[in-house]
Amino acid sequence: MKNAVGREIPERIGDYALKPYEGAYAVDPSKEPVHSLRTAAKPAAGGTKLLGTIEEAVRACGLKDGMTISFHHSFREGDEIVGQVLTAIRALGIRGLRFAPSAVVNIKNPSIVDFVKDGTIDRIEASGIRGELGDAVLAGLMEKPVILRTHGSRPRAIEAGELSIDVAFIGASAADSYGNATGQIGPNACGSLGYSFIDATAAGRVVVVTDYLVEYPCCPASISQQYVDYVVKVERIGDPEKIGMGAARLTKNPRDLLIAERAARVMAASRLFKDNFSFQTGAGAISIACTKYLEEQMEERSIKASFALGGMTAAIVEMYKKGLVRVLECSQSFDAVAARAIAEEPGIVEIDNALYANPFTKGAMLDRLNFGVLAALEVDTDFNVNILTGSSGEMMGGLGGGPDVAAGADISIVCLPVIRGRTPSVTKRVFTCCTPGETVACVVTEAGIALNPRHARYAELKEDLERANLKLVTIEELQKLAESLTGVPKPIETTDKVVCVVEYRDGTVIDVIREIKRG
Amino acid sequence: MEIKKPAVAGSLESSDCQITVEPNPGQGISVHLESDVKAMFGDSILETVHTVLKELSVPEAHVELRDRGALDCVIRARLQCAVCRAAETAYDWTKEDA
C-alpha cells in the first residue's frame, strides 16, 4: 500500500501491522489511559537499594528471555553502560531481548552487532542506529526490522502500549544508594537526563547505574528514588573524554557559514522575530554557526527570546548569560558547557523529553516554538527530508527530534548544501522519507532559499523575505543545479526485505528502508 | 599521445581525485577505479576516463583513480594533466577555444 507521502509500504511484517502515514496532523490518540508497567511497591529493606554488580541487578529484576530493556544515550559515544549491561545479561544466558534505548550511538568494544549475532538481542527500537550497527542492519543483519521513532514518538509509543519496557537501566553521573540520580554532577556529568524520565515512570523495573555514589540525598536529582528498584556502582560509566566533550568549535567552512547566516536572516526577516520569540537550533556545524548569527541579529535589533528548546550547546548558554534568552529548556546537553549550566543557572532547566516533543500529550514545548533550524542529509522537490540514510545507502544519522520540531514549530528551516562532494543533497526523491514536506517551511542552501508553497505559513513568509530582499529560488531550481554539478547518480539497489521501519511521530509509518544490495 | 613514464595528478583530499597514468605496452587501456561514490557514479567515471583518453588519442595506458567524490570536471582535468605529464608534453590549450 502507498502512504500519504507516496511511499510503498507493506501491510504487515511478521506480527507488526503497519499503519500508513496519513498526514502530519491527521491521526488522533487513543482514548485509553496511558500504559505503564510500573507497579506499587514497598520501600527497600535496610534503607539501601545498592547491589554489588550488574548481574545481581539483572537477576533481582527478574529479566527473562524475550523481555524489553532500555537505556538513554546521553553519554553519547563515551557510553560504557550499555556494553557492561549487555555483557552481564549474556553471561546469565538471557536471550531474545528487545533493545529499546532512546538512540544507539556508535559504541565499540563491545559492539551491539556482537549481541545481535549471539542472540542476546533480536529486536531493536530506537531513534537511530548509528555506526557499525546501522550498516550491519542495512546489510540484513536482523530478521525483524528495526523500528525507528522520533524523540517525541518514543514516549508516545510507551504510553500507547506499543513499547512496554520491562527493565530500564538508567546511567547516572551521580546517585545515592536509594536511587536518586542525576547527570548534572560528578566527574562524568552529561547534563540533562531528559530521555529517561519516561523510562523511570513506565518501566516495570528501574536500575540506576553510576560510578559516583554520593551521600543521601543526591542533589540535584533528576530521577526520583520513588521509581528506582536498584542501584549499582560500577568502576566507570564511560570514557570521560568522549562524554565531557568541550564546546564544539565554530566551523570555518565558508559554505556552512553562508548557509548559517542566511538561515539567521530568514528568522530575522520573519514577523515572528520579535520580543519573546522562541527557537531551537540544534548541534550540527551549521546549527551552531546559525546560533551565533541569530545572536548578532538579536543584539542588533535589541530583541530577546523567551526560550530556547531541545538539545543545548555552549553557544546558546552564552546567549542566556548575555540575557538574550530567558529560559533554556534542555532535553539533552550536547557539550560539557551546556551540561554544567543546568546546575549553575536558574533559568537553564532540565526537561522531560516527553515535555519536549511527545505529540500526544496535553502540550509539548515544541508546539510553542516559533523557529526550528534543522539539518538534513537530503531534501527532495516535495520538501520531504531524509535524516537517516546516505546516498550510497549507509546509515548516517538518527531521526532525533527533527520531524517533531518541523511539525511543532511555526517556521521550520532545513539547512543543507546543495551538494556534498559529488553527492546531490537536493534530489527528486529522498531515499528515506523521515520528515514530511508539508511540515517544512523553507530550505536554505548556499544557492538560495526555497519556500514550500504547501506550508501553512508560505504566504506570510514569502512576503517577509521579499521585504528583506532575501534571494528566493524554487526547490526545482536547486535540484537542477545540484544535478548539473554532480550528474545523475545511479539509484541504490535494494532487495524486498524491510530492515527498518521509519515511524512518524504519531506511530504511523512514513517510510521503510529495504536491505541494500552490495555490489 | 604516447605514455612515456608514470605520472600523477590530483590529491587525496575530499572532492578531489588522484590519478596515476602509466605505460601499458601492448595491452591497450586498463583502468583501476577506487571511489567513495562508486555505487552511484562508478560507470560515469569510467566513461569519462575512456572519453578523455580518446580525446587525447592515447591508445595504451594503465590508469589508476583514487576518487574522493570529485565532480566530473575535476576528474577530466586531473586525467588530462596526468596524461600530459606521462607523455612529457604540454596540454593543447587551443582545443579550449573551439
Side-chain angles (χ1 to χ4, degrees):
Chain A
M1 57 185 167
K2 266 205 170 106
N3 68 14
V5 281
R7 297 284 161 156
E8 189 61 46
I9 59 170
E11 281 171 36
R12 184 168 276 282
I13 304 168
D15 51 8
Y16 175 45
L18 287 75
K19 290 172 282 184
Y21 168 80
E22 293 172 36
Y25 312 99
V27 173
D28 289 321
S30 121
K31 298 274 184 284
E32 294 296 306
V34 297
H35 186 83
S36 173
L37 293 184
R38 179 159 58 93
T39 55
K42 279 191 148 184
T48 179
K49 299 174 183 173
L50 199 60
L51 296 178
T53 61
I54 292 172
E55 274 99 333
E56 275 179 69
V58 171
R59 262 200 301 262
C61 288
L63 188 71
K64 293 186 180 64
D65 289 0
M67 282 187 166
T68 299
I69 55 171
S70 77
F71 303 84
H72 66 68
H73 69 283
S74 299
F75 294 120
R76 298 183 287 262
E77 299 204 347
D79 188 289
E80 287 175 7
I81 291 176
V82 173
Q84 290 180 64
V85 170
L86 289 174
T87 303
I89 288 171
R90 175 168 58 193
L92 290 168
I94 300 167
R95 297 168 56 79
L97 296 177
R98 175 163 63 167
F99 178 57
S102 47
V104 183
V105 291
N106 194 17
I107 56 167
K108 292 167 186 142
N109 306 319
S111 157
I112 304 297
V113 175
D114 304 336
F115 297 103
V116 173
K117 284 190 175 153
D118 68 25
T120 309
I121 295 170
D122 71 356
R123 287 152 296 159
I124 297 175
E125 303 188 10
S127 89
I129 44 170
R130 239 170 262 255
E132 195 187 337
L133 176 68
D135 292 338
V137 165
L138 289 187
L141 171 73
M142 301 190 71
E143 199 179 308
K144 292 178 180 138
V146 171
I147 297 179
L148 299 174
R149 294 194 181 92
T150 68
H151 287 336
S153 191
R154 183 173 185 269
R156 179 208 57 75
I158 292 170
E159 292 193 337
E162 292 161 21
L163 172 60
S164 294
I165 296 164
D166 294 293
V167 183
F169 296 90
I170 301 179
S173 62
D176 64 40
S177 62
Y178 217 48
N180 297 297
T182 182
Q184 292 163 39
I185 55 171
N188 280 324
C190 63
S192 176
L193 290 185
Y195 294 112
S196 288
F197 286 37
I198 187 76
D199 302 64
T201 56
R205 291 282 178 271
V206 175
V207 180
V208 164
V209 182
T210 188
D211 57 2
Y212 189 65
L213 215 50
V214 296
E215 277 299 311
Y216 183 86
C218 174
C219 181
S222 308
I223 301 299
S224 162
Q225 62 178 44
Q226 59 182 322
Y227 306 125
V228 176
D229 292 273
Y230 305 106
V231 178
V232 179
K233 184 184 178 298
V234 293
E235 193 68 34
R236 67 178 214 167
I237 51 175
D239 179 349
E241 297 230 323
K242 290 186 186 159
I243 294 171
M245 274 187 315
R249 250 172 307 172
L250 193 59
T251 177
K252 288 199 177 91
N253 181 324
R255 182 188 66 186
D256 288 354
L257 289 172
L258 175 69
I259 296 169
E261 187 183 11
R262 206 167 258 172
R265 283 187 189 283
V266 168
M267 289 187 267
S270 161
R271 64 193 68 185
L272 300 174
F273 187 67
K274 56 187 183 202
D275 265 333
N276 287 317
F277 82 101
S278 57
F279 69 93
Q280 173 167 355
T281 42
I286 295 179
S287 292
I288 290 172
C290 181
T291 308
K292 303 302 286 180
Y293 287 116
L294 182 65
E295 178 182 339
E296 283 174 18
Q297 295 281 348
M298 289 168 69
E299 283 180 321
E300 211 176 293
R301 306 220 331 238
S302 301
I303 285 174
K304 291 186 167 69
S306 54
F307 73 96
L309 183 63
M312 225 40 80
T313 57
I316 304 179
V317 171
E318 205 172 297
M319 290 171 78
Y320 170 87
K321 289 188 172 165
K322 283 186 177 175
L324 291 170
V325 191
R326 187 160 56 84
V327 189
L328 308 193
E329 308 280 359
C330 316
S331 57
Q332 189 180 0
S333 313
F334 282 132
D335 57 43
V337 177
R340 278 194 305 272
I342 299 173
E344 291 163 1
E345 302 288 346
I348 303 185
V349 296
E350 174 184 46
I351 59 164
D352 178 354
N353 165 60
L355 171 60
Y356 161 53
N358 185 346
F360 288 172
T361 66
K362 289 163 192 169
M365 289 197 122
L366 51 72
D367 299 332
R368 298 292 300 263
L369 204 54
N370 293 132
F371 302 107
V373 177
L374 302 164
L377 294 166
E378 284 183 310
V379 61
D380 67 24
T381 45
D382 290 324
F383 287 86
N384 293 326
V385 178
N386 172 12
I387 41 185
L388 284 174
T389 44
S391 43
S392 36
E394 64 278 43
M395 194 57 98
M396 300 275 288
L399 290 172
D404 300 305
V405 173
D410 294 323
I411 293 174
S412 50
I413 303 166
V414 171
C415 294
L416 82 176
V418 288
I419 60 168
R420 290 185 177 93
R422 196 177 177 170
T423 306
S425 345
V426 184
T427 62
K428 284 185 178 151
R429 193 172 190 269
V430 287
F431 183 61
T432 309
C433 179
C434 306
T435 304
E438 67 172 292
T439 63
V440 174
C442 96
V443 171
V444 177
T445 72
E446 73 275 37
I449 301 161
L451 296 185
N452 180 2
R454 288 192 302 136
H455 191 267
R457 291 193 178 254
Y458 172 69
E460 131 185 356
L461 195 56
K462 185 165 186 280
E463 195 185 311
D464 291 348
L465 298 194
E466 280 172 352
R467 197 181 327 108
N469 286 319
L470 286 168
K471 186 187 170 193
L472 297 182
V473 293
T474 65
I475 194 80
E476 288 79 12
E477 287 174 283
L478 294 176
Q479 185 274 322
K480 285 196 186 102
L481 174 67
E483 197 178 285
S484 73
L485 292 166
T486 64
V488 182
K490 227 163 73 176
I492 302 165
E493 285 186 60
T494 61
T495 70
D496 287 337
K497 181 183 168 186
V498 172
V499 292
C500 292
V501 173
V502 185
E503 286 192 0
Y504 191 56
R505 58 199 305 253
D506 60 10
T508 60
V509 175
I510 192 158
D511 207 350
V512 294
I513 305 174
R514 294 183 171 84
E515 182 186 6
I516 311 288
K517 267 191 208 164
R518 297 281 171 201
Chain B
M1 224 177 257
E2 187 203 341
I3 303 301
K4 295 178 179 157
K5 60 169 193 189
V8 63
S11 75
L12 296 174
E13 293 291 315
S14 179
S15 297
D16 200 352
C17 180
Q18 189 178 67
I19 302 182
T20 312
V21 175
E22 289 169 51
N24 203 22
Q27 298 191 55
I29 305 287
S30 60
V31 183
H32 175 75
L33 171 65
E34 265 175 47
S35 173
D36 295 345
V37 292
K38 197 168 179 174
M40 286 184 295
F41 293 108
D43 293 346
S44 151
I45 294 170
L46 292 176
E47 202 187 309
T48 296
V49 170
H50 287 289
T51 308
V52 170
L53 293 178
K54 199 175 256 174
E55 283 166 10
L56 298 175
S57 310
V58 178
E60 280 181 358
H62 176 66
V63 181
E64 297 215 3
L65 298 93
R66 272 174 286 277
D67 170 49
R68 298 287 178 265
L71 296 176
D72 191 61
C73 53
V74 175
I75 296 170
R76 291 181 66 90
R78 293 304 192 198
L79 182 56
Q80 287 165 346
C81 180
V83 166
C84 288
R85 282 174 180 167
E88 296 179 321
T89 169
Y91 184 72
D92 178 10
W93 291 100
T94 58
K95 279 200 294 195
E96 303 295 320
D97 297 330

